[in-house]
Amino acid sequence: MAADAYQPCRRPATLRRAFFHVWRHESRQCRGSHQPLDFSFDDAHRGTLYHYPEGSPFEADAVMFTDFNLQGTWMAAADSGAFHDFTFTPGVSVVLSCRTQEEIDYYWEQLSAIPEAERCGWCVDRWGISWQVVPHNIAELMTDKAAREKILLMGKIDLSQL
């Protein structure tokens, strides 16, 4: 095989869970950041929760590590304990594939916290995480010129307009 030939990524056989990592840049932000998500997703559940030990340089309730599962995907979060001059960007987002307008409306209401960030089915939650709340057939819709042009003008996607 040529050195520049396409080679698909393969998951290591030992990897059992896919993770989306959320590393908070400010102390005490992590603990509550996943809790509202637990209420937004019917099948959400927490895995582990570890706090920094007493006597550490971090505040008593700072999260050393936690993981939780949303719709079959494991996510992880932690407080760094120190301020960092960076935050989340739309360069990484979580995709919610919805079958109905009702699902789109529900998740949008639960997640969208920054109206000026709403574009083409993308929204940003109160922690700065970008979400794509989109129809399950978004790839197909984007190949249709008329549908694509309408989607690109929407904030929250309205299926009745497509």
Side-chain angles (χ1 to χ4, degrees), residues 82-102:
F83 178 78
H84 299 283
D85 194 20
F86 58 83
T87 187
F88 297 109
T89 74
V92 174
S93 62
V94 180
V95 178
L96 291 175
S97 180
C98 301
R99 293 241 168 232
T100 65
Q101 186 66 47
E102 183 180 30

Side-chain angles (χ1 to χ4, degrees), residues 11 14-19 47 67 74:
R11 183 179 74 151
T14 56
L15 182 63
R16 294 187 180 167
R17 301 194 281 190
F19 277 93
D67 63 358
W74 281 95

Side-chain angles (χ1 to χ4, degrees), residues 96-158:
L96 291 175
S97 180
C98 301
R99 293 241 168 232
T100 65
Q101 186 66 47
E102 183 180 30
E103 281 185 303
I104 291 171
D105 294 344
Y106 173 79
Y107 288 120
W108 197 269
E109 182 180 323
Q110 298 296 313
L111 297 168
S112 185
I114 304 173
E116 59 272 15
E118 297 175 357
R119 300 283 186 278
C120 315
W122 287 55
C123 65
V124 177
D125 70 17
R126 63 183 173 169
W127 296 279
I129 298 173
S130 293
W131 296 81
Q132 296 181 52
V133 184
V134 296
H136 67 95
N137 62 339
I138 189 68
E140 178 185 334
L141 290 169
M142 294 302 284
T143 62
D144 178 86
K145 184 179 179 185
R148 181 178 59 247
E149 288 176 358
K150 290 177 183 178
I151 290 169
L152 293 176
L153 296 175
M154 294 180 185
K156 177 179 72 173
I157 293 178
D158 181 351

